[in-house]
Every structure is written in C-alpha cells, then in structure tokens.
Amino acid sequence: MKKVGIYIHIPFCRSKCNYCAFNSFFADIDAQKRYVEYLVKEILSFDYKGEITVDTVYFGGGTPSFLYEGGIIDIVNALKNRFKYLPREVSIECNPESLTQKKLEEYRSAGINRISVGLQSASDRLLKKAGRIHTLDDFLRSIRYCSEAGFDNVNCDIMLGLPRQSVDDVLDTLNILFGLPIIKHISMYGLKVEKNTPWQDIKVDEDLSADMYDAAFDALLKNGFYRYEISNFSKPGFECAHNIKYWTRQDYIGFGLSAHSLLDNVRFANPDSLKDYYEGKKERLELTPAQAEEEFIMLGLRMEKGIDINEYNKQFNVNFTQKYAKPIEKLNRLGVIDLADNILKIKPKYMGVMNSIIVEFFS
C-alpha cells in the first residue's frame, strides 16, 4: 500500500504582499465556492491503479484561512471518500487577520492538528511596509484563539532581509515567539526579490541577511529549537512531517491551482491559470535518472541529517562515494562536510554557504 502526502492549494488572499510572487489573488465567496467544487471533483476523480493511504495533508496558499467557512470540511470529506485517510499530521496555513475562533472550530472538526501562522515580523512598522494587513496584536490574538481551541502544535513564519529590518528586529520577534508555549516550530525565510511584484527593484543586503540568520540560529538553539532543514527549526518531535516528504522525495499529490505532485518518480503540475485549471489541463514530467539523482542530493543536503548514502545507492544503483570521489575529497579537505556511517552532511556552521557546497557535486 502506497503512503502519500496530500497538498491542497487555496489561492485566495485578502490582499497581496509587496514581496509575493505566489499564485494568489482576491476572490469573493461565490468564486471561492466554485473553486472548491472543482477541487472536490479533481480529488474524487483522481486516477491511480492501487490503493493509496494518506498520511500527511497540507493546506497551503494563498491564505487558506481566508477561505469561506465550511470549505475546508468539504475538501477533507472528499479526501476521505477517495483515499484511505489516516493522516498523522494535517497542517493549514493561516494569516492573523482571517483566523477566527469559528474557523478554528471547523479545523478541529476536520481533523487539522497543526496550524501555521504567517507573522513575518513583530514590528508593525515592517509589516506595514511589506504590505501585510495584520499587526502584532492581531497575531497575538490569533495565537490565543489557537490555544483556546486546543491546538498545541503551531508553526510561525518569519522573514529576514526586509527593507530597514535590523538584527535586533529579528531577535525581538523571536523573543516574543519564545514566550508562546504552543509555538513548537519556526520557519525562517530570507527575502527574495521576485519579478512583477512591488518590490521587484529593491536590493537585499545579503551580508546583513546572513548576520540575521546567524543571530537567529543561535537564539533558536538556546531556546530549544533545533534546525532540521536550512529554513526550519522545531522543538524535538514537532518537525513538519509533510514537508519532509518533499525534501526526501517521497510521494505526494497536489490538488488545486498550480499544485505539483511527485508520484512513482513522475512529476505533475497543475496550470497557473484558473481557465486552464477548470479545463483539466495538467503537465506531466517523467524524471530522468540524472534529474532524480540531482534532486536527491540537492534536497538531502538542505537537511541537517544529510544524505543517506545507502539509500542513494539503492535508489540509483550507483556507488555514491565512487561517483563523487573528487567533490567529496575537495569538500573534506576544506572541512565543510562530515562523512561517517554512510551519511554525508554539511557541517552545521557551513549551512549558510550550502549552495556553494551543493554546486560542487554538479560542476
């Protein structure tokens, strides 16, 4: 029996942030209901020979908490009707301004057990500049609602490298989060300049962003959050099981606009336009062994635990240490990797230059 993760894309947002290039937009309730109706049809008509057990679910976006009340339950019911539904983790992304007590009751009844709240910064000044429509008080109220609804596994997203953000701003944000016991996971992302956004012409101070990351890493470690992936920190036992599927190339199915899937080493992608999505268009990409191998190495080295060489050899029928003897020897000489017990990983203090280490395997 195949175990898979399910990703559900909810593309709706109340407003667009200045840095956001994701496929998201405002839609009224009628448009949202039409989307969910099609999404349910897509789930129920999913064609696969063999039984599938769903063991993780992730509602992403967009802003899933902006979806009308009752929509999440309709989607979960469709999953239950199509698959063997035994998830150990069901996550939903939320923004403070749209996360209500009533919606949290719905999420509990739908079996959601992990909430991810987009804070980005505790500075109202920085939030306003970034086009966020919530305040720190809104965030704290949403966390209180989560606690009152019985949720004890909450992630918080924060950003580094925002214009006029300082290292102290980042540490102030983290110190607020450390005082909230239900926050067990923190995701920390550096600002990326994206085309066709209001911030497409700004310049990111990469050195300052690196200083922010280093200071945040130390603070997170001191407060019991360990890094298990370059951007993700958790209390032990609260890692995001669904996202680990992506990084370890396990099977997952994406439903909804722009959603991607990896199933039996074949990638699928839903279209970015609603018109094409409603017409049922889908792109199929069967990965070559070289592409799959590159993904395995690149994604594996993003994780603190690194690459399992035995698993690599098994999947690709190639001896990893022989094939990559030259880059391994070079990186060992530079002292940036550890290789022991058939595990290759980047040393913790060099994760900040991860990309320059990974490229050695493909140069």
Side-chain angles (χ1 to χ4, degrees):
M1 184 183 300
K2 182 178 289 294
K3 291 184 178 180
V4 305
I6 297 288
Y7 173 78
I8 303 290
H9 189 69
I10 306 297
F12 311 122
C13 282
R14 184 166 291 169
S15 67
K16 194 90 165 175
C17 300
N18 291 336
Y19 51 80
C20 181
F22 289 119
N23 192 359
S24 61
F25 46 87
F26 178 84
D28 61 23
I29 288 180
D30 288 340
Q32 290 186 18
K33 287 185 174 180
R34 183 189 177 204
Y35 178 82
V36 169
E37 286 174 5
Y38 187 89
L39 182 62
V40 166
K41 290 178 183 177
E42 183 190 12
I43 292 168
L44 295 176
S45 63
F46 182 77
D47 186 22
Y48 184 80
K49 294 179 181 178
E51 189 172 4
I52 287 177
T53 297
V54 174
D55 64 349
T56 66
V57 179
Y58 195 101
F59 288 88
T63 309
S65 59
F66 183 53
L67 190 67
Y68 64 92
E69 291 174 6
I72 296 298
I73 284 182
D74 288 343
I75 296 167
V76 168
N77 285 339
L79 293 173
K80 290 178 178 178
N81 287 332
R82 173 58 186 86
F83 303 106
K84 188 170 184 179
Y85 191 78
L86 297 170
R88 66 187 188 275
E89 176 189 277
V90 185
S91 301
I92 187 166
E93 292 181 349
C94 305
N95 275 348
E97 74 280 352
S98 56
L99 187 56
T100 65
Q101 291 168 307
K102 201 164 183 181
K103 285 181 179 176
L104 284 163
E105 291 173 9
E106 175 188 352
Y107 301 161
R108 289 285 290 179
S109 65
I112 290 171
N113 56 15
R114 183 177 183 271
I115 304 290
S116 180
V117 184
L119 170 61
Q120 315 312 346
S121 173
S123 164
D124 287 345
R125 168 182 58 86
L126 293 174
L127 291 172
K128 185 176 181 180
K129 190 173 183 65
R132 303 289 292 180
I133 57 174
H134 70 266
T135 64
L136 174 60
D137 284 344
D138 293 331
F139 168 77
L140 293 173
R141 182 172 58 251
S142 72
I143 294 299
R144 187 178 77 250
Y145 288 165
C146 288
S147 180
E148 290 170 353
F151 289 97
D152 64 354
N153 184 4
V154 176
N155 168 68
C156 182
D157 290 344
I158 67 171
M159 293 184 70
L160 311 178
L162 295 169
R164 304 195 179 217
Q165 186 181 31
S166 68
V167 172
D168 284 343
D169 287 324
V170 175
L171 294 178
D172 288 346
T173 297
L174 287 174
N175 284 330
I176 289 171
L177 300 184
F178 296 150
L180 301 170
I182 67 170
I183 293 181
K184 304 295 199 306
H185 190 288
I186 295 174
S187 296
M188 191 167 65
Y189 302 106
L191 174 65
K192 291 183 179 179
V193 177
E194 303 281 2
K195 291 181 180 179
N196 302 316
T197 68
W199 277 3
Q200 65 179 0
D201 296 321
I202 69 167
K203 295 188 183 303
V204 176
D205 187 333
E206 298 294 348
D207 290 336
L208 179 57
S209 293
D211 290 342
M212 292 176 182
Y213 183 93
D214 290 342
F217 174 79
D218 290 341
L220 285 156
L221 199 62
K222 288 176 184 175
N223 284 273
F225 290 83
Y226 88 100
R227 179 176 61 192
Y228 67 101
E229 193 269 346
I230 186 66
S231 299
N232 289 275
F233 301 75
S234 80
K235 295 290 183 72
F238 289 91
E239 305 84 356
C240 181
H242 182 84
N243 285 342
I244 288 173
K245 284 183 177 288
Y246 299 149
W247 303 320
T248 54
R249 299 190 72 256
Q250 298 178 52
D251 289 316
Y252 59 90
I253 304 168
F255 293 108
L257 193 69
S258 302
H260 288 238
S261 307
L262 176 64
L263 193 60
D264 298 332
N265 206 43
V266 179
R267 288 201 177 277
F268 300 91
N270 282 348
D272 293 332
S273 82
L274 271 178
K275 179 179 180 296
D276 289 344
Y277 175 62
Y278 289 153
E279 290 176 359
K281 295 179 180 178
K282 190 183 291 283
E283 183 182 1
R284 173 189 170 100
L285 173 63
E286 191 147 1
L287 298 177
T288 66
Q291 289 171 323
E293 181 186 352
E294 183 173 331
E295 284 187 356
F296 185 98
I297 294 170
M298 179 184 68
L299 294 171
L301 288 176
R302 289 182 62 88
M303 301 191 70
E304 199 85 1
K305 70 177 185 179
I307 292 171
D308 184 329
I309 292 173
N310 288 333
E311 182 61 30
Y312 170 95
N313 294 345
K314 177 183 174 183
Q315 283 195 29
F316 301 106
N317 199 28
V318 177
N319 187 300
F320 180 87
T321 51
Q322 289 181 5
K323 180 172 182 177
Y324 294 105
K326 286 185 178 179
I328 289 172
E329 191 277 330
K330 178 181 178 180
L331 296 169
N332 253 329
R333 189 173 65 250
L334 292 172
V336 298
I337 60 170
D338 278 324
L339 176 56
D341 300 323
N342 280 308
I343 299 293
L344 185 145
K345 59 185 178 181
I346 299 173
K347 290 184 177 179
K349 67 178 180 179
Y350 295 107
M351 287 293 279
V353 291
M354 173 192 68
N355 290 337
S356 62
I357 294 172
I358 291 174
V359 76
E360 292 292 333
F361 290 91
F362 307 111
S363 57

